[in-house]
Amino acid sequence: MMTKTKIIIAGIGGVGGYFGGLLANRFYDNENVEINFFARGQHLKEIQANGVKVIKGESEFIAKPTLATDNPVEIGISDFIIITTKSYDLEAVIKQLRPCINQDTIILPLLNGVDSKERIKDIFPDNIVLDGCAYIVSRLKRVGVIENSGNIQTLYFGLDNLVNERLLLLEYLLNEANVEASLSKNISTIMWEKFIFISPTATATSYFDKCIGELIADNEKLKMTTTLIEEVKKIAKAKQVYISDDITEKTVNKLKTLPFETTSSMHADIKNNKPNNELKSLTEYVIKEGRKYNLATPTYMEMYVELKKKSGI
């Protein structure tokens, strides 16, 4: 008899709510696959009562997971855990999920930044921890409601040069649920090319307190943003990650295609005086890695010092 495959989605915000909603919708009442949501607060209560509503353009559906809970003991040992919390919650969440993890549990973080895998490995050194990244414009509209407003919703995951049956199973289950997921053997390139976009964008929008359109329109600000891109690129190369030669140009062009008023989640959090933000994993990380490889990151340093003050850290 086939044993049940248990998947946990931890963090039912824009990313987790969308991909988790698709999975729950596809495998509802399936005897071989169980989709469990780990969430909290009012959002959890709404999901427990009515499921999660997922909106994309004209279409919408309501998905019900096998179980939605804030108590990991109720879920038990799981095959796969997909973590989609904010990066500053990562350690707390992974420790809470200890009752769901044995030596065979595979953990997939889908967070901004490139340090999630090593941070999880510090806590669970013997587990397979994947690298993963999602391209999606989706948000928690209100409790119990997730809205995907973009035209891209792809997910990449894997470990460089590792493919095994369980990773292929995860890819198969995601694709079955209409998640555009690819198991990649060169995931570090995909991760870093995204980081080269996200880290400078988050740092510059937060530092200047401007949306992306305003950064692009001002030559001086655009020049400083481009310098940030160059500084991160040097670190990727020092880490021997393969990065395309025209990545700076590609990244600036990507910024130019975004709607004028787009900004970063870090900028929004700092602007709204949220007690936590992603400064550590998106800005400070670059400076620390620079030190490790004896690479100067003066523009990052200048902005980081200012952002630390703004954040009251």
Side-chain angles (χ1 to χ4, degrees):
M1 190 183 127
M2 184 179 163
T3 53
K4 233 179 189 192
T5 300
K6 281 171 91 162
I7 300 177
I8 298 176
I9 316 293
I12 311 297
V15 177
Y18 184 71
F19 293 132
L22 285 172
L23 282 162
N25 196 39
R26 168 66 182 81
F27 294 111
Y28 184 68
D29 268 356
N30 186 296
E31 56 189 38
N32 299 319
V33 182
E34 202 176 280
I35 306 296
N36 299 298
F37 288 178
F38 180 61
R40 56 187 176 209
Q42 285 302 117
H43 188 41
L44 170 62
K45 285 184 182 145
E46 179 62 29
I47 293 169
Q48 286 170 330
N50 302 307
V52 65
K53 180 188 271 196
V54 177
I55 303 169
K56 183 174 186 288
E58 295 300 300
S59 70
E60 58 179 62
F61 62 85
I62 289 176
K64 295 195 170 174
T66 307
L67 177 69
T69 183
D70 56 6
N71 179 5
V73 176
E74 291 183 4
I75 302 173
I77 298 297
S78 298
D79 297 279
F80 300 103
I81 298 179
I82 300 173
I83 300 186
T84 57
T85 57
K86 283 282 176 82
S87 69
Y88 45 77
D89 285 332
L90 179 60
E91 280 80 2
V93 167
I94 199 74
K95 284 174 184 168
Q96 282 177 294
L97 289 169
R98 203 177 279 278
C100 307
I101 297 170
N102 69 6
Q103 72 281 2
D104 297 324
T105 304
I106 292 177
I107 304 167
L108 168 58
L110 295 175
L111 281 67
N112 285 337
V114 285
D115 59 347
S116 305
K117 182 177 71 182
E118 56 198 79
R119 287 165 60 194
I120 296 170
K121 277 290 207 185
D122 282 344
I123 302 167
F124 291 103
D126 301 325
N127 284 73
I128 290 181
V129 182
L130 304 173
D131 274 319
C133 94
Y135 282 95
I136 185 168
V137 185
S138 183
R139 68 192 175 104
L140 176 60
K141 197 175 181 188
R142 58 180 181 275
V143 291
V145 181
I146 306 294
E147 182 169 34
N148 176 351
S149 57
N151 54 4
I152 179 170
Q153 55 271 324
T154 52
L155 189 166
Y156 298 93
F157 72 95
L159 282 174
D160 285 348
N161 304 314
L162 173 72
V163 171
N164 66 24
E165 274 180 24
R166 298 188 66 216
L167 300 189
L168 290 166
L169 170 66
L170 180 58
E171 181 185 46
Y172 169 75
L173 294 173
L174 288 163
N175 286 320
E176 269 288 292
N178 287 326
V179 175
E180 293 168 33
S182 304
L183 173 58
S184 169
K185 282 195 283 186
N186 60 340
I187 189 72
S188 57
T189 298
I190 295 169
M191 296 271 295
W192 273 88
E193 292 205 342
K194 182 180 180 187
F195 189 67
I196 287 168
F197 171 74
I198 278 191
S199 167
T201 306
T203 305
T205 49
S206 305
Y207 175 77
F208 291 115
D209 191 15
K210 300 285 183 203
C211 67
I212 286 167
E214 291 170 305
L215 289 186
I216 299 294
D218 181 318
N219 274 342
E220 195 49 44
K221 291 182 178 65
L222 178 59
K223 202 169 139 191
M224 279 182 85
T225 307
T226 308
T227 309
L228 292 173
I229 295 168
E230 289 292 334
E231 287 180 7
V232 195
K233 190 169 90 175
K234 281 193 302 192
I235 286 162
K237 291 199 161 161
K239 285 178 154 298
Q240 298 184 319
V241 177
Y242 171 75
I243 298 294
S244 59
D245 292 333
D246 59 347
I247 190 70
T248 304
E249 201 184 337
K250 264 170 42 180
T251 306
V252 171
N253 287 338
K254 197 185 285 184
L255 286 171
K256 288 178 177 171
T257 63
L258 293 170
F260 186 89
E261 65 289 347
T262 309
T263 192
S264 63
S265 58
M266 183 167 102
H267 178 210
D269 287 344
I270 291 175
K271 207 179 162 79
N272 296 322
N273 297 314
K274 288 269 179 75
N276 291 306
N277 60 54
E278 295 167 298
L279 188 61
K280 214 177 158 101
S281 55
L282 296 185
T283 308
E284 187 188 350
Y285 175 81
V286 176
I287 296 163
K288 279 187 167 169
E289 292 299 294
R291 285 198 194 113
K292 208 186 277 183
Y293 293 98
N294 287 323
L295 291 169
T297 52
T299 318
Y300 264 94
M301 196 64 207
E302 183 187 329
M303 294 193 185
Y304 174 66
V305 169
E306 197 52 46
L307 288 169
K308 256 181 96 164
K309 283 185 208 157
K310 268 192 190 183
S311 304
I313 294 172

